[in-house]
Each structure stands twice: as C-alpha cells, then as structure tokens.
Amino acid sequence: SRVKSLITDAEVSKQFFSFIKGVIPASGGTVGEQCTTVTPRINTGNYYALGTFTLCFSGDACPARSGKSITLKGQWIVKDRYDWHAGLSVTVLGTVIKDDYALLVEQIGKAKPYDIEGSWSGQTHVP
C-alpha cells in the first residue's frame, strides 16, 4: 500500500521514529494516536506526497531490551494536502515537472488541491 511504502521510506522512518521513541513509555504498552509532521525524500517513488505530511500511529509498542529499537503494531494514518510546493520538483515517467509549471496549472484551476488520508494496519520494527 502507499501508506506502508511511506512508513518504510528511509527518511520518513528516521524522522517519525525519532519522534515516537520520545513518546513511548520505557515499558511499552498501548499508545493513543500520536502524530508528527514528516518530509519524504523527493523522487523516491513516493511522489504522491510532495512536501511535508502528517503521519500518525496508535496501537501497541514493545521496546526491545536494549532500548534502541521498538516494534509498533497498530494503525498508521497519513494525512496530507495534495498540492504543489514552491521549490520542489517531481519526476514522473522520466519527465521532471518543476514547481513553476505545476503551480501555474494549479492556479488556473486545472489541478485543484485536495485533502488526502490513507491508513494501513500492520507491524513495523524500528531499529
């Protein structure tokens, strides 16, 4: 799923799990919805989430004995405003679309921004 691919994106994982490790109690247990803003690397195949987006998790957290890893099992939610951002570009099927063209298309009403939300239920081990 797209949500799972975002969660496993190296840069997203690094940012989100840096945040979540500070929220999870040392003993683990059930965690209510925890959200933070993350930024994927552009042009990694996740071009449908340009710029920052919100990533949330709720479920069970089990810290490893070393305290350096966490297993998260539960619900993941991605929330974003699908629009173009100044300064960013994206490569689609080998063609680079620069921000000036994308913003122009958006402004003349050919591609209106809209809110997106997706979810995935699963388990991820965080090193």
Side-chain angles (χ1 to χ4, degrees):
S1 78
R2 288 183 172 185
V3 174
K4 184 178 180 182
S5 69
L6 284 172
I7 293 166
T8 57
D9 179 87
E11 189 59 33
V12 170
S13 294
K14 177 181 172 183
Q15 293 173 41
F16 184 75
F17 298 126
S18 174
F19 157 77
I20 201 72
K21 285 181 182 181
V23 176
I24 304 284
S27 59
T30 302
V31 178
E33 186 173 86
Q34 300 291 327
C35 301
T36 192
T37 300
V38 295
T39 305
R41 289 181 293 176
I42 304 302
N43 297 330
T44 61
N46 294 325
Y47 59 83
Y48 45 82
L50 294 177
T52 59
F53 63 92
T54 300
L55 180 58
C56 304
F57 169 79
S58 60
D60 297 325
C62 302
R65 291 183 190 213
S66 67
K68 293 183 179 179
S69 63
I70 299 172
T71 299
L72 300 172
K73 181 180 180 182
Q75 181 77 18
W76 300 86
I77 299 172
V78 169
K79 302 174 185 177
D80 192 18
R81 178 82 171 156
Y82 191 93
D83 57 1
W84 293 93
H85 304 271
L88 298 180
S89 64
V90 64
T91 301
V92 179
L93 300 175
T95 301
V96 176
I97 300 173
K98 295 185 178 179
D99 63 344
D100 53 353
Y101 175 75
L103 289 166
L104 175 64
V105 171
E106 186 175 271
Q107 290 168 6
I108 62 174
K110 298 293 184 185
K112 293 290 186 188
Y114 57 92
D115 294 325
I116 60 170
E117 184 172 304
S119 64
W120 174 69
S121 294
Q123 179 173 310
T124 302
H125 182 72
V126 184

